[in-house]
Every structure is written in structure tokens, then in C-alpha cells.
Amino acid sequence: MSEHDAGFKAALEEAKKGASEGGVPIGACLVDKHGKILGRGHNMRVQNSSATLHAEISALETAGRLPASAYEGATMYTTLSPCDMCTGACILYKVSRVVMGENNTFVGGDAYLKQRGVEVVNLKNAECEKLMRDFIEQHPEDWYEDIGEPGKKH
């Protein structure tokens, strides 16, 4: 698993797309065990006034309704450590591996994923971290709302 994987490149493209739309710059891409991209998306909570449209959920949504067998051996690429909701979705659909861009700006369900048998890979990607640090600095209210921390400003 590396920054050169098509799934990671797609997730990073999605994060940049989200940033260009004024949203939280997190992207995700779901890839099956054969390397086929099933779905990709980015956090759209700000753009769509959505309560739940995080990047991983967006990628699952664009993949559409699939049989359980489609997720066997699948990898969820995401530019940031997945939150509890997105961690739960990965576990629910039995995604085998989560490859994240970084977890310095936010640590989500990494430990729980591992506990549930999901392989977790952290690429420690500087570009992903910069996207998040810049967003958190410029839009702390949107960030803390996104991770369920009401009242926090920065």
C-alpha cells in the first residue's frame, strides 16, 4: 500500500475537490480485491448541509447497492483517519483494509478497526496533513462540527 496506489490517488483528488468547493478536505475511495474502484467521494457536509456525508460514506454511496461479496477483500482509502461513523461503516461492510493518508490531525477509529480484524495502514502523507491543517486553521467551526465537537472553536 502506497501513495502511488490508484485508490489513494483518487481519494486525494477527492479531498482536493472538496477543498475547492469550500468543504472539509477529506476524500475516500473504495477498491475491490481485484483493484477495481467501486466508488469514490469526498466530505460533503458543508456543501450539502448533510449530517452524515463524510468521505467514506460518500464513497460507499457512489458504489451503490452491492452484494456483500463485493466488499470481501476491499480496501477503503481515505485521506484522514476515519471517524467513529465511518469506522462503523467499514466494519459493517467487512472492508478488509483501511489505508489512510494521515492521522496526525485527527485520530478516529484506528484502534477499533484493528481490534475488529481490519488491516490499518497509515501513509503519513504530508499533503493530506497540510490540507487538513490549513482547513482547521481557516474553518475551525466547520471542522469541530464535522467531528461532533460542538462549542469548540479552535
Side-chain angles (χ1 to χ4, degrees):
M1 302 292 100
S2 80
E3 297 172 351
H4 304 293
D5 293 355
F8 179 72
K9 287 180 181 180
L12 187 53
E13 286 171 12
E14 289 289 335
K16 291 176 183 177
K17 184 176 181 184
S20 74
E21 296 170 353
V24 182
I26 304 170
C29 182
L30 181 65
V31 178
D32 76 7
K33 64 184 170 193
H34 304 293
K36 177 185 174 197
I37 291 178
L38 299 174
R40 55 187 281 175
H42 55 279
N43 185 305
M44 302 263 307
R45 289 190 73 247
V46 172
Q47 299 92 313
N48 288 9
S49 293
S50 170
T52 59
L53 203 47
H54 282 191
E56 299 87 345
I57 303 302
S58 180
L60 286 163
E61 186 67 21
T62 61
R65 185 176 173 187
L66 298 171
S69 61
Y71 302 104
E72 287 178 28
T75 298
M76 178 67 79
Y77 289 88
T78 179
T79 57
L80 184 66
S81 174
C83 73
D84 290 342
M85 175 178 65
C86 297
T87 291
C90 288
I91 290 167
L92 175 70
Y93 290 106
K94 297 177 179 47
V95 169
S96 298
R97 180 182 308 108
V98 172
V99 177
M100 70 184 80
E102 62 100 2
N103 70 354
N104 285 336
T105 57
F106 175 78
V107 177
D110 305 12
Y112 188 56
L113 286 164
K114 290 176 187 175
Q115 179 187 341
R116 294 296 301 265
V118 177
E119 179 185 355
V120 176
V121 178
N122 183 351
L123 298 177
K124 301 177 182 175
N125 180 275
E127 189 172 7
C128 291
E129 186 171 340
K130 181 170 177 14
L131 277 169
M132 284 309 305
R133 289 203 187 280
D134 289 349
F135 183 81
I136 293 167
E137 183 178 309
Q138 295 165 12
H139 305 282
E141 65 290 344
D142 289 334
W143 169 243
Y144 288 112
E145 175 190 306
D146 194 70
I147 59 171
E149 297 269 350
K152 265 194 160 177
K153 296 293 183 215
H154 191 34

